[in-house]
Amino acid sequence: MPLTNTQYDRIFRQYEERQRLNRLETERRRDYVYGHFPKYRELEDETASLSVAQGKKLLLGDETALNKLRKSLADLKRQKEQLLSDAGLPVDYLEPVFICPDCRDTGYIDRQKCHCLRQAEISLLYEQSGLQEMLANNNFSLLSYEYHSGEDLSHFEKAVENCKNFIKNFDSDYRNLFFYGTVGTGKSFLSGCVAKELMDQGHSVIYFGATGLFDLLSSTSFDTRNREERQSTYADLYQCDLLIIDDLGTELTNQFTASQLFSLLNERNIGRKATVISTNLSLRELQDRYSDRIFSRITSNFDVCKLTGPDIRMYQKRQLNRK
């Protein structure tokens, strides 16, 4: 699923706009400081003059000039920082502003794509999957325990705890999550919560409903004319930081889908890339529908979270009808 030139142009126009706005913000801050604290500008002018004067001495053979310059510049820097601090401003207030400090809003680090550019590509490639809409409705700011009680509440609280630990340790501890249970108990919601938190941290996340995922794999696998597109599709699915497969079991299950699912799980496990799966199937139904090796791979490599209780969506609908 390679991006078109038009799509790349769209991404880099966004980067250019970032850089423009960042320059304006840096200029605004500088004008504010110069206007309210003239002493700061005097210190900067002194810094420039001192650098020129000591540079001339160095060229004339004064071997002590460089050390004197370093000491003087360090003293001037401390004075400027103290002035900003006394004014209630951060000492780095006049440093360049960046949305992504890692690549300084260029999209690249040492000629390699930055995580922010990779996520921009992923978001553009898969915006049709519904991920953006999903994140608007499924995130921790909307988390509620009011729809569960008793054992159902215990299951939900444990699943939430697993999600938060999964997010907290994502960069240091390779884990996977598997949500299963009855319809409407919060499986997709928790998947969305995990996705949003990790995307906010700059990780690449791909979300697919099971039907859409296997339809995509089927169309690319049997189209022998587009070898490059097929390779790009699998590379994205194998290498993204997090792959979410929602509603596993709703797809047409056959030998092809079972084989593709195993390949996905196996390749991502080898690469230690995290996967989140949700399904309405019971563990017995999962084992009966897919191969034993898929069942074994999931139950041994995933933190399995069972969710039970009433259908939250139906409950919410009934509540609205009563108003």
Side-chain angles (χ1 to χ4, degrees):
M1 295 176 290
L3 290 175
T4 65
N5 290 335
T6 300
Q7 289 173 314
Y8 268 117
D9 287 344
R10 173 179 163 187
I11 289 176
F12 283 106
R13 280 198 300 271
Q14 293 173 349
Y15 274 94
E16 290 171 359
E17 180 64 8
R18 281 188 188 184
Q19 294 166 11
R20 186 185 71 83
L21 293 176
N22 291 345
R23 286 194 297 270
L24 290 175
E25 175 61 16
T26 301
E27 291 171 4
R28 184 196 67 78
R29 293 184 181 190
R30 186 177 63 246
D31 291 344
Y32 172 81
V33 171
Y34 286 177
H36 289 77
F37 312 102
K39 177 63 176 176
Y40 191 95
R41 186 160 195 171
E42 293 176 11
L43 291 172
E44 286 210 325
D45 290 341
E46 186 177 347
T47 299
S49 299
L50 181 64
S51 298
V52 172
Q54 293 298 94
K56 289 180 179 179
K57 290 182 180 180
L58 188 62
L59 289 174
L60 293 173
D62 186 348
E63 297 180 356
T64 65
L66 184 58
N67 284 334
K68 290 179 180 178
L69 176 62
R70 287 172 177 167
K71 290 180 181 179
S72 298
L73 290 178
D75 180 59
L76 288 169
K77 181 182 179 182
R78 282 193 293 270
Q79 291 184 57
K80 289 191 290 184
E81 290 178 347
Q82 186 62 51
L83 193 154
L84 291 174
S85 181
D86 291 344
L89 299 172
V91 295
D92 63 350
Y93 186 68
L94 294 184
E95 293 295 318
V97 177
F98 301 110
I99 293 176
C100 178
D102 295 334
C103 70
R104 300 170 73 89
D105 291 335
T106 64
Y108 287 89
I109 303 174
D110 297 330
R111 299 185 180 181
Q112 299 295 319
K113 290 180 181 179
C114 180
H115 59 80
C116 67
L117 175 56
R118 187 70 189 116
Q119 185 57 56
E121 293 177 326
I122 293 292
S123 298
L124 192 56
L125 282 168
Y126 295 98
E127 64 184 9
Q128 74 275 12
S129 70
L131 180 57
Q132 303 305 320
E133 180 181 353
M134 174 190 178
L135 297 185
N137 299 305
N138 299 327
N139 57 75
F140 281 125
S141 68
L142 302 175
L143 178 67
S144 173
Y145 295 97
E146 67 175 290
Y147 305 110
H148 301 81
S149 61
E151 187 178 25
D152 300 333
L153 178 59
S154 297
H155 286 157
F156 188 69
E157 289 176 332
K158 181 62 176 176
V160 172
E161 181 184 355
N162 283 340
C163 289
K164 292 185 175 181
N165 287 332
F166 177 82
I167 296 164
K168 179 181 178 181
N169 302 312
F170 189 80
D171 292 319
S172 59
D173 186 14
Y174 167 60
R175 313 284 295 199
N176 302 290
L177 293 174
F178 181 79
F179 301 116
Y180 81 100
T182 50
V183 175
T185 49
K187 300 181 293 297
S188 296
F189 174 82
L190 291 179
S191 297
C193 290
V194 170
K196 184 177 189 308
E197 292 297 314
L198 293 177
M199 287 182 70
D200 287 348
Q201 294 175 20
H203 292 287
S204 57
V205 178
I206 294 177
Y207 163 86
F208 266 111
T211 300
L213 172 62
F214 292 111
D215 283 348
L216 171 67
L217 292 176
S218 177
S219 64
T220 55
S221 295
F222 296 112
D223 187 354
T224 57
R225 296 170 298 177
N226 294 314
R227 182 170 177 268
E228 181 180 348
E229 181 176 347
R230 182 169 65 255
Q231 290 176 334
S232 179
T233 298
Y234 281 98
D236 287 338
L237 293 174
Y238 290 162
Q239 297 170 16
C240 65
D241 296 332
L242 175 66
L243 173 65
I244 297 177
I245 305 175
D246 197 23
D247 279 336
L248 183 68
T250 56
E251 78 285 355
L252 177 63
T253 308
N254 51 37
Q255 187 174 357
F256 172 80
T257 55
S259 173
Q260 292 294 306
L261 178 59
F262 179 79
S263 293
L264 265 179
L265 298 181
N266 189 55
E267 290 295 329
R268 291 188 63 78
N269 182 58
I270 291 173
R272 299 181 68 79
K273 297 294 186 180
T275 306
V276 173
I277 298 176
S278 70
T279 182
N280 294 328
L281 300 174
S282 67
L283 293 182
R284 174 57 62 87
E285 289 171 330
L286 180 74
Q287 186 173 22
D288 291 341
R289 180 170 297 205
Y290 302 98
S291 65
D292 287 340
R293 61 179 183 168
I294 290 177
F295 180 77
S296 175
R297 187 57 53 92
I298 290 175
T299 54
S300 60
N301 291 340
F302 284 68
D303 292 333
V304 178
C305 304
K306 182 179 182 181
L307 293 171
T308 57
D311 186 331
I312 296 173
R313 289 183 291 268
M314 294 301 296
Y315 177 84
Q316 292 172 329
K317 186 176 181 180
R318 287 195 298 269
Q319 291 296 100
L320 287 173
N321 290 336
R322 290 173 183 171
K323 293 181 180 180

